[in-house]
Amino acid sequence: MKSINELIKEINELKSELHDKDFLLTWEQTPEELERVLKTAQALKSMRQENIATNVFNNGLGISLFRDNSTRTRFSYASAINMLGLAQQDLDEGKSQIAHGETVRETANMISFCADAIGIRDDMYLGAGNAYMREVGEALDDGVKEGVLPHRPALVNLQCDIDHPTQSMADLAWLEEHFGGLDKLKGKKIAMTWAYSPSYGKPLSVPQGIIGLMTRFGMDVTLAHPEGYDLIPEVVEEARKNAEASGGSFTQVASMEEAFKDADIVYPKSWAPYQVMGRRTELLRANDHDGLKALEKECLAQNANHKDWHCTEEMMKLTKGGEALYMHCLPADITGVSCEEGEVEESVFEKYRIATYKEASWKPYIIAAMILNRKYQETGHILQELLDDAKKRVK
């Protein structure tokens, strides 16, 4: 890994407008801005390893709103804001005035008087999560403009219906570490494939995040899923455009075997079909419990037709040299461990278990890097001040 001083120098050389926009979709950021987040994350990680304090903020809040269950992202966000010197306050909508009709505009301002960061996970409703985050962002802009808020909090997408940018950026950071640089990823084949799961309703945001981001760096991205398990068409089109612009490729195939053939990286992960997520959203909004039960039964039966979409040792032999890097956002559905039949064979997962943990370990630093680049235009100078001060976390 490069020295902290080298990373700071490179950060200073990268053009960025991240201080003027929220990090809601990776494909809204330029390649230089994405690289700047990666380098900031690397610098923060190195400083942590060298026991150098990174509490840029001496006080303030980091607000979290999780509308879906989470382990890695929840604790990664908490770690990130603590690393920067902020205290965490979770917004429990059930204990707020939201239930009494408080508007998004009002809530966004009321929670932000002393906030420097807001992280939101809203992936339950197709067509709603990312839109809600943008509504919050507009309310924060208005609060600053009208003098209600002294500073604009950084707004970070902790997973929505369209993208999971903190996950895909952590995945990219791990690939950069594993292969020895972003330039080493050009021409590498990554297979983003559907895999069987005994559950339904898994969001589309992880596979969409992967095809939307990895196509930015000249990789050969292959998407595979059974018939009917489509992603949002606009995101697929975005991946095609990204691949063309970066000199990579984007291919869609109909079998896991074809996707795995000669792949350098495999990412077998279950998701619900785009059309199903649309139906599920309508039923959730209508509070139709019977309809949701019927849809779940239908989808589980549909999933069961594709149990051969299973990451096994035999499947891994099809990859380049039989040694492709296995990736997963976790938790994986491990056959014989977490479920009777699932996404990945136990022996395959166990072989790459530590690798997936290292993949996940990048997320706190990525989130902290997103916040820093939103709050400060001269992120490199802020890091240099921390380095010059070099206060030890533990003396």
Side-chain angles (χ1 to χ4, degrees):
M1 189 178 281
K2 293 176 181 175
S3 72
I4 300 171
N5 281 316
E6 286 177 309
L7 288 167
I8 290 173
K9 182 176 182 293
E10 291 176 359
I11 289 167
N12 288 333
E13 292 170 353
L14 291 167
K15 292 181 181 177
S16 170
E17 298 298 327
L18 287 170
H19 62 286
D20 273 337
K21 55 184 177 178
D22 295 315
F23 208 112
L24 301 184
L25 300 171
T26 62
W27 46 92
E28 292 178 332
Q29 325 306 332
T30 69
E32 278 190 281
E33 288 169 342
L34 295 172
E35 192 171 350
R36 183 160 151 155
V37 169
L38 290 173
K39 290 184 186 300
T40 304
Q42 289 168 19
L44 289 168
K45 190 171 188 179
S46 293
M47 292 169 82
R48 179 79 176 183
Q49 289 170 343
E50 294 184 25
N51 201 29
I52 297 171
T54 55
N55 48 324
V56 176
F57 307 100
N58 290 322
N59 55 51
L61 289 177
I63 310 293
S64 58
L65 171 57
F66 283 84
R67 288 175 160 173
D68 201 359
N69 296 332
S70 174
T71 301
R72 274 147 296 279
T73 306
R74 183 184 292 274
F75 279 86
S76 292
Y77 180 75
S79 298
I81 61 173
N82 181 269
M83 192 190 313
L84 298 177
L86 299 172
Q88 183 179 13
Q89 178 63 55
D90 189 55
L91 173 58
D92 185 337
E93 291 182 301
K95 295 178 181 177
S96 75
Q97 294 292 348
I98 294 169
H100 295 162
E102 186 174 82
T103 63
V104 173
R105 180 176 57 191
E106 191 165 308
T107 303
N109 277 272
M110 295 305 106
I111 66 174
S112 301
F113 295 136
C114 294
D116 282 291
I118 301 174
I120 302 175
R121 168 170 283 193
D122 189 353
D123 60 3
M124 298 286 286
Y125 299 90
L126 193 64
N130 198 268
Y132 171 76
M133 294 175 190
R134 292 180 192 279
E135 189 176 358
V136 170
E138 289 169 5
L140 295 174
D141 289 338
D142 184 61
V144 173
K145 178 184 173 184
E146 298 297 335
V148 175
L149 303 177
H151 303 287
R152 172 56 154 80
L155 181 59
V156 180
N157 177 359
L158 300 178
Q159 188 174 15
C160 70
D161 50 319
I162 301 173
D163 194 9
H164 195 346
T166 63
Q167 179 65 51
S168 59
M169 285 293 288
D171 292 340
L172 182 60
W174 167 233
L175 288 176
E176 182 179 12
E177 177 188 352
H178 181 78
F179 288 104
L182 280 180
D183 58 317
K184 302 292 195 304
L185 300 183
K186 267 193 174 294
K188 289 278 190 297
K189 179 180 177 181
I190 179 169
M192 182 68 243
T193 79
W194 187 85
Y196 169 73
S197 172
S199 66
Y200 108 108
K202 292 183 188 287
L204 307 169
S205 45
V206 169
Q208 290 176 168
I210 293 301
I211 67 170
L213 180 61
M214 303 311 171
T215 46
R216 304 291 298 281
F217 293 91
M219 299 184 75
D220 294 332
V221 180
T222 298
L223 174 66
H225 56 76
E227 185 177 353
Y229 285 78
D230 306 283
L231 301 178
I232 296 175
E234 290 81 2
V235 180
V236 174
E237 183 57 32
E238 190 69 43
R240 286 198 184 93
K241 291 178 187 173
N242 293 345
E244 186 176 344
S246 73
S249 67
F250 177 68
T251 309
Q252 290 184 267
V253 299
S255 73
M256 183 180 270
E257 288 85 355
E258 189 174 354
F260 271 45
K261 190 174 187 308
D262 296 325
D264 299 280
I265 307 130
V266 296
Y267 207 131
K269 164 84 176 71
S270 186
W271 65 81
Y274 165 57
Q275 293 83 356
V276 165
M277 290 301 280
R279 290 168 59 194
R280 179 171 174 264
T281 294
E282 292 172 6
L283 293 168
L284 282 166
R285 283 179 168 158
N287 205 25
D288 186 346
H289 298 293
D290 290 338
L292 284 166
K293 285 180 182 177
L295 180 63
E296 180 177 11
K297 185 177 179 181
E298 175 191 328
C299 292
L300 291 177
Q302 183 182 357
N303 280 4
N305 293 327
H306 307 293
K307 290 185 178 181
D308 55 327
W309 288 70
H310 186 205
C311 184
T312 62
E313 289 189 29
E314 285 301 308
M315 197 72 75
M316 290 297 287
K317 287 177 182 176
L318 299 172
T319 67
K320 187 170 288 185
E323 292 292 336
L325 176 67
Y326 167 87
M327 296 181 73
H328 200 285
C329 57
L330 301 179
D333 290 326
I334 308 166
T335 301
V337 178
S338 53
C339 57
E340 191 174 324
E341 296 175 280
E343 297 167 322
V344 59
E345 203 168 53
E346 180 183 3
S347 58
V348 174
F349 183 82
E350 190 58 32
K351 179 179 177 180
Y352 294 94
R353 179 171 58 83
I354 298 302
T356 63
Y357 292 178
K358 289 181 178 179
E359 175 187 352
S361 75
W362 275 102
K363 194 178 285 188
Y365 303 103
I366 288 292
I367 295 172
M370 289 176 176
I371 293 170
L372 272 187
N373 279 283
R374 178 61 166 110
K375 294 294 291 182
Y376 299 104
Q377 184 171 9
E378 303 296 339
T379 309
H381 295 164
I382 298 296
L383 292 170
Q384 188 64 58
E385 286 179 21
L386 291 170
L387 190 60
D388 291 343
D389 195 21
K391 288 180 180 174
K392 295 291 185 182
R393 290 178 51 249
V394 180
K395 303 225 178 188

